[in-house]
Amino acid sequence: MDEIRIYPDPVLRKKAFPVKNIDGRVKEIADRMAEAMYSNKGIGLAAPQIGILSQIVVVDLGEGLKTLINPEMIEGEGESTLEEGCLSLPDIEVLVKRKNKVFIQAWDVKGKELRLELSDFPARVYQHEIDHLRGILIIHHISQLKRELLVKKMLKKLKGS
Ligand SMILES: [Zn+2]
């Protein structure tokens, strides 16, 4: 099974490429992502988190698995701030300001166009995953000083375990 890449793995800071053809290979990547997400008890995962620089995200908020290919946030409104965690940053939680309501366009694994209108927590989860496709993690929403402190603490803990 694929291991979740942990910060500061450089792949997490790279931009993922758009998927050109939604074929069996894409489905296979999505399956691997879902497996990694579920076995780590996550609610969302982006392809770079298993080391693949393709614009694919998987999300399951308790209503079944959703796979989004080439997701794009078309519109966003309102703002809210909440603590978030990330599978690539074990034991770190930071306050992240995000749009409260978003409109996202994407494709599913069958190549069908998806249009999602989301608000509150689901909107936040999808924004978090789309951030990953641009190489942005939750720690990049806070100051550099705070980020360095948190990462130092995390790495110390990881080494100790
Ligand atoms: Zn994450």
Side-chain angles (χ1 to χ4, degrees), residues 117-132:
E117 210 184 315
L118 303 151
S119 43
D120 305 313
F121 189 69
R124 175 171 292 275
V125 173
Y126 283 91
Q127 287 173 84
H128 175 122
E129 301 312 332
I130 291 173
D131 259 6
H132 273 297

Side-chain angles (χ1 to χ4, degrees), residues 44-46 49 84-89 128-129 132 136-138:
L45 194 83
Q49 290 181 281
E84 285 182 27
C86 178
L87 290 176
S88 294
L89 292 156
H128 175 122
E129 301 312 332
H132 273 297
I136 298 166
L137 304 174
I138 51 173

Side-chain angles (χ1 to χ4, degrees), residues 16-70:
F17 298 98
V19 172
K20 283 195 184 125
N21 296 301
I22 300 174
D23 53 17
R25 196 185 146 265
V26 172
K27 172 85 173 76
E28 190 215 319
I29 294 169
D31 288 344
R32 282 165 56 190
M33 289 168 61
E35 197 190 0
M37 175 181 76
Y38 287 126
S39 66
N40 287 281
K41 298 186 168 51
I43 52 172
L45 194 83
Q49 290 181 281
I50 58 164
I52 296 169
L53 288 173
S54 293
Q55 290 181 9
I56 307 170
V57 307
V58 291
V59 171
D60 190 341
L61 296 166
E63 294 166 338
L65 180 68
K66 272 222 157 60
T67 303
L68 270 66
I69 296 156
N70 301 342

Side-chain angles (χ1 to χ4, degrees), residues 139-150:
I139 50 169
H140 301 112
H141 286 270
I142 57 176
S143 73
Q144 191 184 341
L145 185 69
K146 211 170 160 196
R147 170 160 72 239
E148 282 169 3
L149 279 171
L150 281 172

